[in-house]
Amino acid sequence: MRQQVRWMLGVAIVAAIAMPGLRAKAQANDPPNPYRAVESWVKLPDERKWGQTISIDVDPDGKSIWVFERCGGTTCDGSDIAPILKIDESGKVVKSFGAGMFIFPHGLHLDRDGNVWVTDARGKGGKGHQVFKLSPDGKVLMTLGKAGVTGDGPDTFNSPSDVLVAPNGDVFVADGHGGDTNARIVKFTKDGMFIKAWGKKGAGPGEFNVPHRLAMDSSGRLFLADRANSRIQIFDQDGKLLAEWKQFGRPSGVFIDKNDIIYVADSESNNAQNPGFKRGLRIGSAKDGTVTALIPDPEPVKEGTGPGTGSAAEGVAADAAGNIYGAEVDARKLMRYVKK
């Protein structure tokens, strides 16, 4: 009888350990898809074609969107094409600028005043590894980092992936993109003065492996897409770790709207990395982490493959009407999803 009780207790303990992971996967993969896709809705001028569309955000008007793409190809090195585009709700490109400024466009963020913040995640020929603040008309208002120089000090970056401005004007940079780059979050004042940095390469609490995207909820919590660790880490604005979420898959992009609805782009989950999770766009609550919808990647997952094998978006945003936008890198598309 004692042996039987011990055996049953052991089974219960194993089940208790396994259940959170199983529940996370079930919650992440089973929700409905209440959206339909709208392709080719943007009217690109002069027979221009999309390059790798990496980042997207919504204008303060709640209707227009801004896109950062790689100059019709995989890089902007040597290109005279403007990679920053503003698109109105009808799909017309109404502004474009930034030609000749960047090597490898990556992060894009609109602050409350409509200024455009972007990151250049590679360097070459005295360019790159910087963060730029631009006016809505493309005038350079501020730069962070040293052009073409890598480092982990208070005034240098190494492959900055994203940038976000808090309501009080403080600036947060997700600095690093795997490999021999950095793995940290750097905080600055609104005037560009260094405040602090936190994080290092690793998989433990508060450590990062490809800190890919930033978002902030209505309470001021900072969300980081810790992509290669297949999790979102949530911090206060001083770097204190508050929570870790794995139910949104392997996140490349994170966007939180004014109602604290969270949109997460999982472009890399497959049978080799983060197995058991489907790629696609997950929608849920930034308050409690509940996943309520999934727009699946239309491309099937291939057995044993790494990143770059599907069409799922890396960048994600949603306008005031609830339309969702996906910036697809490999497929070189800008998708729009509307309620069915």
Side-chain angles (χ1 to χ4, degrees):
M1 178 66 71
R2 289 178 180 174
Q3 289 180 337
Q4 184 177 13
V5 169
R6 289 195 190 100
W7 179 82
M8 293 175 67
L9 181 60
V11 170
I13 291 171
V14 171
I17 293 173
M19 279 305 291
L22 294 174
R23 282 197 299 266
K25 290 181 182 179
Q27 182 189 42
N29 289 325
D30 294 340
N33 175 18
Y35 297 88
R36 62 178 179 85
V38 180
E39 294 191 53
S40 303
W41 64 280
V42 178
K43 308 169 185 65
L44 290 175
D46 304 323
E47 298 183 355
R48 173 175 171 165
K49 295 182 179 180
W50 286 117
Q52 292 181 332
T53 57
I54 180 65
S55 289
I56 187 168
D57 204 355
V58 180
D59 190 82
D61 68 11
K63 300 177 181 179
S64 305
I65 62 167
W66 292 79
V67 181
F68 205 19
E69 67 95 34
R70 293 175 181 154
C71 299
T74 60
T75 179
C76 284
D77 182 27
S79 174
D80 60 358
I81 295 175
I84 301 171
L85 291 80
K86 181 181 181 181
I87 303 167
D88 69 16
E89 58 184 323
S90 72
K92 180 182 178 181
V93 176
V94 293
K95 286 185 182 179
S96 61
F97 49 79
M101 289 182 60
F102 310 102
I103 299 297
F104 196 64
H106 207 281
L108 177 144
H109 170 72
L110 270 290
D111 67 22
R112 291 188 170 190
D113 297 323
N115 297 307
V116 184
W117 295 74
V118 291
T119 73
D120 194 352
R122 291 180 187 170
K124 183 179 179 182
K127 295 180 183 178
H129 299 295
Q130 285 188 293
V131 176
F132 295 85
K133 176 185 180 181
L134 306 169
S135 74
D137 293 318
K139 180 182 178 181
V140 177
L141 303 176
M142 182 190 299
T143 60
L144 300 174
K146 296 180 180 179
V149 177
T150 60
D152 59 1
D155 59 352
T156 53
F157 303 113
N158 193 337
S159 296
S161 291
D162 201 21
V163 58
L164 179 141
V165 181
N168 70 349
D170 285 346
V171 180
F172 296 87
V173 177
D175 183 25
H177 201 280
D180 294 327
T181 68
N182 292 334
R184 61 179 186 162
I185 295 175
V186 192
K187 181 179 180 180
F188 301 89
T189 68
K190 63 181 180 180
D191 299 317
M193 300 297 294
F194 173 83
I195 297 176
K196 67 185 303 181
W198 71 87
K200 64 178 182 177
K201 182 71 173 290
E207 297 176 345
F208 311 134
N209 190 354
V210 189
H212 205 258
R213 200 75 65 191
L214 294 166
M216 186 171 285
D217 68 6
S218 64
S219 66
R221 296 186 302 167
L222 186 67
F223 288 61
L224 174 74
D226 185 14
R227 183 167 77 179
N229 284 324
S230 299
R231 64 187 179 184
I232 294 171
Q233 293 198 73
I234 306 172
F235 298 89
D236 70 14
Q237 294 185 35
D238 291 318
K240 179 183 177 182
L241 180 62
L242 303 175
E244 174 189 286
W245 291 352
K246 293 191 174 183
Q247 64 270 31
F248 286 91
R250 189 176 174 92
S252 287
V254 182
F255 179 86
I256 301 173
D257 70 16
K258 65 180 181 180
N259 299 312
D260 281 330
I261 299 173
I262 185 171
Y263 306 81
V264 180
D266 178 353
S267 63
E268 292 195 352
S269 286
N270 55 38
N271 296 326
Q273 51 191 19
N274 204 32
F277 281 81
K278 298 175 182 178
R279 289 196 308 265
L281 299 175
R282 290 181 175 85
I283 301 96
S285 169
K287 293 182 178 180
D288 61 16
T290 303
V291 179
T292 57
L294 169 64
I295 303 172
D297 185 347
E299 296 292 330
V301 174
K302 299 177 183 178
E303 184 71 30
T305 53
T309 58
S311 61
E314 288 197 23
V316 62
D319 63 24
N323 302 309
I324 301 173
Y325 302 87
E328 298 186 357
V329 174
D330 291 328
R332 302 189 188 186
K333 292 181 181 179
L334 183 63
M335 297 294 294
R336 184 179 190 181
Y337 299 95
V338 300
K339 285 288 184 70
K340 294 178 180 176

